[in-house]
């Protein structure tokens, strides 16, 4: 068991950590709810770990995070280990107890605000990252459709932002059909490159890959990867799958 002075020191350190994390009550928040949130966060320490699994079960049901359900299971396992090994394996029991008290209290303080006051509003950067990742997924779906069913991709006007559509394909470009203005939106493609691409496809037919495009349109080699990720190469007449 912890010495009383050690317990007091641990509580002071935990409170200090909460202050550093910016977790002190903010204006506009119900003081009673703030107090309850701190009482909840310190339950693992004050109960010597006995209610730690319940603390994180509550957090998991509130936030629905998979990581919190895993934490709840791990803390439950640590509690079982601490109880079973205490008589014969004191070192193991002490490690489990430290996780159930110190570790769990720090963990609870870190998630206290979202558990009791809801998730914080995402920053502009986080929103931008989410949007970029979603558009990347849309482009991947569009490329898969173009490869697997080019006839349907043509019908849906995949890669043709210049035409009326009622969906978002993430910004992919159909190199073999898009006009020069759209082609010039690709990374590394200037207006001169775009006009050359249009002329080459009119004279020799469409392209079949980003590598071929970069070679014949004289694009910088370093843009091949980004062009590949943003283009499809649909034939004029695609057989139905």
């Amino acid at each position: 068991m912890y010495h009383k002075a050690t317990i007091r020191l641990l509580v002071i350190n935990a409170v200090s950590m909460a202050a550093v994390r910016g977790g002190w009550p903010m204006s506009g928040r119900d003081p009673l709810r703030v107090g309850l949130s701190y009482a909840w966060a310190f339950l693992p320490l004050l109960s010597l770990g006995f209610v730690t699994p319940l603390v994180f079960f509550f957090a998991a049901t509130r936030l629905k995070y998979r990581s919190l359900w895993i934490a709840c299971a791990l803390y439950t396992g640590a509690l079982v280990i601490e109880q079973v090994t205490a008589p014969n394996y004191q070192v193991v029991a002490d490690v489990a107890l430290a996780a159930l008290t110190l570790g769990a209290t720090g963990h609870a303080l870190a998630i206290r605000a979202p558990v009791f006051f809801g998730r914080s509003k995402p920053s502009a950067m986080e929103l931008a990252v989410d949007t970029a990742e979603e558009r990347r997924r849309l482009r991947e779906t569009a490329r898969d459709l173009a490869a697997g069913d080019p006839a349907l991709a043509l019908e849906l006007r995949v890669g043709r932002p210049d035409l009326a559509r009622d969906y978002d394909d993430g910004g992919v470009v159909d190199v073999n059909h898009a006009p020069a203005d759209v082609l010039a939106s690709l990374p590394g493609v200037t207006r001169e490159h775009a006009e050359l691409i249009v002329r080459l496809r009119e004279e020799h037919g469409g392209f079949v890959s980003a590598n071929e495009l970069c070679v014949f349109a004289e694009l910088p080699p370093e843009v091949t990867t980004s062009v590949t990720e943003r283009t499809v190469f649909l034939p004029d007449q695609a057989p139905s799958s």
Side-chain angles (χ1 to χ4, degrees):
M1 289 298 175
Y2 295 114
H3 190 275
K4 289 183 179 180
T6 304
I7 291 291
R8 285 197 295 270
L9 180 60
L10 295 175
V11 171
I12 292 171
N13 286 338
V15 172
S16 299
M17 181 178 66
V20 170
R21 288 173 178 268
W24 287 113
M26 298 176 63
S27 59
R29 288 183 175 175
D30 179 8
L32 178 59
R33 193 171 183 82
V34 171
L36 287 174
S37 72
Y38 277 103
W40 170 85
F42 281 104
L43 278 175
L45 189 61
L46 297 176
S47 69
L48 295 180
F50 283 104
V51 301
T52 296
L54 295 178
V55 166
F56 285 88
F57 178 81
F58 174 77
T61 57
R62 293 275 293 179
L63 296 179
K64 306 295 190 299
Y65 289 165
R66 181 183 179 186
S67 59
L68 288 177
W69 288 111
I70 294 174
C72 181
L74 291 175
Y75 286 129
T76 300
L79 181 59
V80 172
I81 291 173
E82 192 272 332
Q83 293 296 308
V84 171
T85 61
N88 301 315
Y89 302 95
Q90 194 59 48
V91 173
V92 175
D94 288 345
V95 171
L97 184 59
L100 288 164
T101 53
L102 297 180
T105 298
H107 191 175
L109 284 168
I111 63 174
R112 176 194 63 83
V115 169
F116 281 83
F117 302 103
R119 303 174 189 178
S120 59
K121 183 179 179 180
S123 66
M125 174 62 76
E126 290 171 331
L127 290 174
V129 170
D130 289 343
T131 300
E133 290 178 344
E134 175 60 22
R135 288 183 64 77
R136 179 184 292 171
R137 286 190 289 269
L138 290 172
R139 289 194 295 271
E140 182 178 357
T141 300
R143 293 197 309 273
D144 289 343
L145 175 62
D149 194 342
L152 180 57
L154 277 172
E155 181 179 345
L156 293 175
R157 300 172 176 176
V158 170
R160 297 298 306 276
D162 54 304
L163 301 179
R165 304 178 304 180
D166 57 2
Y167 69 93
D168 182 8
D169 59 13
V172 295
V173 173
D174 179 4
V175 173
N176 291 333
H177 298 91
D181 288 343
V182 175
L183 293 170
S185 68
L186 290 169
V189 177
T190 65
R191 180 71 189 185
E192 290 73 20
H193 287 131
E195 291 174 351
L196 174 60
I197 291 169
V198 172
R199 186 166 65 253
L200 287 172
R201 75 189 187 194
E202 289 175 350
E203 295 175 354
H204 306 288
F207 299 91
V208 298
S209 70
N211 286 332
E212 183 184 55
L213 172 67
C214 290
V215 169
F216 286 98
E218 301 176 358
L219 298 179
E222 61 269 17
V223 305
T224 302
T225 299
S226 55
V227 167
T228 300
E229 200 264 337
R230 290 170 173 80
T231 53
V232 293
F233 300 84
L234 297 174
D236 289 328
Q237 296 296 327
S240 299
S241 59

